[in-house]
């Protein structure tokens, strides 16, 4: 049973398109996150979300928007994709101040 | 600005040796500390939490020095399977995005 699952695992698309990545966790955690890991392998947090609050890293372009239909899901929508968006995107979940559990990652390639 | 600094390496270490990494953090209000391991093209996985009193898990020992604001990871009797990138993670409470900082990771290569 996968604790944090995200789909798709690979996403290849053209510049300018709009795409979504889905994430689900079955751990009962209160908080979910999205991270971006670029070609230099630096893992950077983009968003965190719990039932009460969405916290956005101010460096994230507003083309990126998280959407949470319920506590177990946090999807990532990306509008007008750019070349620089190519990266691996990881979803994660945790309880407050507890270690995070990561999904397998979505490898996004922009053509 | 909140920063977590790690030596990126790579550390090339012979199998069976002992290796240690440090990680420094800038925010003295930081509350929780973790070491994660990330294998190539895989997701980060929790290796161990770091407690003020220090803690050990098999061949791995983690230490926290709040006064000097650094945490360390010691690996004894290193195995080929220990080759990975080790990420230092510092949280500042609240669980939100503004309280979580990952280091850039230290790349470890265990050589036969």
């Amino acid at each position: 049973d996968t604790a944090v699952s995200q789909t798709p695992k690979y996403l290849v698309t053209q510049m300018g398109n709009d795409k979504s990545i889905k994430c689900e966790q079955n751990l009962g955690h209160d908080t979910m996150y999205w991270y971006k890991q670029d070609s230099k392998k630096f893992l950077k947090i983009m968003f965190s979300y719990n039932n009460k609050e969405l916290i956005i890293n101010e460096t994230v372009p507003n083309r990126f928007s998280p959407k949470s239909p319920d506590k177990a899901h946090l999807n990532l929508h990306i509008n007008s994709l750019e070349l620089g968006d190519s990266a691996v995107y990881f979803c994660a979940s945790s309880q407050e101040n507890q270690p995070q559990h990561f999904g397998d990652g979505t490898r996004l390639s922009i053509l | 600005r909140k920063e977590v600094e790690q030596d990126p390496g790579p550390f090339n270490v012979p199998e069976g040796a002992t290796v240690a990494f440090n990680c420094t953090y800038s925010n003295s209000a930081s509350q929780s500390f973790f070491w994660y391991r990330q294998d190539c093209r895989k997701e980060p996985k929790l290796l161990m939490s770091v407690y003020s009193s220090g803690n050990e898990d098999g061949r791995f020992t983690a230490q926290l020095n709040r006064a000097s604001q650094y945490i360390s990871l010691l690996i004894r009797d290193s195995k080929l399977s220990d080759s990975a990138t080790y990420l230092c993670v510092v949280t500042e409470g609240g669980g939100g995005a503004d309280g979580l900082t990952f280091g850039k990771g230290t790349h470890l290569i265990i050589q036969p």
Side-chain angles (χ1 to χ4, degrees):
Chain A
D1 291 339
T2 303
V4 180
S5 60
Q6 53 184 109
T7 56
K9 188 168 183 176
Y10 298 95
L11 182 55
V12 181
T13 189
Q14 291 189 329
M15 199 165 49
N17 285 349
D18 303 336
K19 290 294 179 183
S20 295
I21 307 172
K22 295 183 177 180
C23 180
E24 176 182 4
Q25 56 99 2
N26 62 7
L27 297 167
H29 287 163
D30 292 329
T31 307
M32 296 184 71
Y33 310 82
W34 276 105
Y35 288 85
K36 177 181 180 180
Q37 190 168 42
D38 58 26
S39 58
K40 296 181 180 179
K41 308 300 183 187
F42 183 32
L43 196 65
K44 184 176 180 180
I45 192 164
M46 302 175 71
F47 306 100
S48 69
Y49 184 79
N50 61 23
N51 287 336
K52 304 171 187 175
E53 191 174 19
L54 171 66
I55 299 177
I56 302 170
N57 185 320
E58 68 271 13
T59 66
V60 175
N62 58 14
R63 298 182 294 104
F64 291 79
S65 57
K67 294 205 183 344
S68 180
D70 55 57
K71 181 179 171 180
H73 296 82
L74 184 65
N75 303 325
L76 181 65
H77 295 268
I78 315 171
N79 294 324
S80 302
L81 281 157
E82 300 178 357
L83 290 175
D85 297 334
S86 294
V88 182
Y89 292 84
F90 288 103
C91 177
S93 72
S94 75
Q95 293 291 79
E96 184 173 324
N97 278 335
Q98 295 302 307
Q100 297 180 4
H101 296 255
F102 284 79
D104 291 343
T106 295
R107 285 141 190 86
L108 174 63
S109 297
I110 309 301
L111 303 178
Chain B
R1 181 178 175 180
K2 306 162 191 172
E3 292 184 347
V4 175
E5 300 286 344
Q6 293 183 250
D7 183 339
F11 285 50
N12 290 284
V13 175
E15 191 176 7
T18 296
V19 60
F21 320 129
N22 279 349
C23 163
T24 60
Y25 59 95
S26 62
N27 190 339
S28 60
S30 299
Q31 295 186 8
S32 302
F33 308 87
F34 308 99
W35 281 104
Y36 277 75
R37 170 194 170 130
Q38 186 173 24
D39 294 291
C40 185
R41 301 181 69 80
K42 297 285 188 180
E43 75 276 20
K45 291 184 178 178
L46 178 69
L47 180 65
M48 58 197 304
S49 301
V50 187
Y51 304 117
S52 297
S53 55
N55 48 299
E56 187 174 308
D57 182 2
R59 299 181 292 108
F60 298 83
T61 301
Q63 296 275 354
L64 167 63
N65 185 319
R66 284 192 184 272
S68 301
Q69 295 183 198
Y70 76 83
I71 67 173
S72 63
L73 178 67
L74 180 79
I75 306 174
R76 290 180 297 279
D77 187 23
S78 53
K79 311 291 184 190
L80 294 176
S81 58
D82 295 333
S83 297
T85 297
Y86 291 84
L87 301 165
C88 170
V89 183
V90 175
T91 71
E92 293 156 15
D98 55 353
L100 280 159
T101 308
F102 275 74
K104 293 186 178 182
T106 297
H107 189 197
L108 174 65
I109 302 171
I110 306 300
Q111 297 175 328

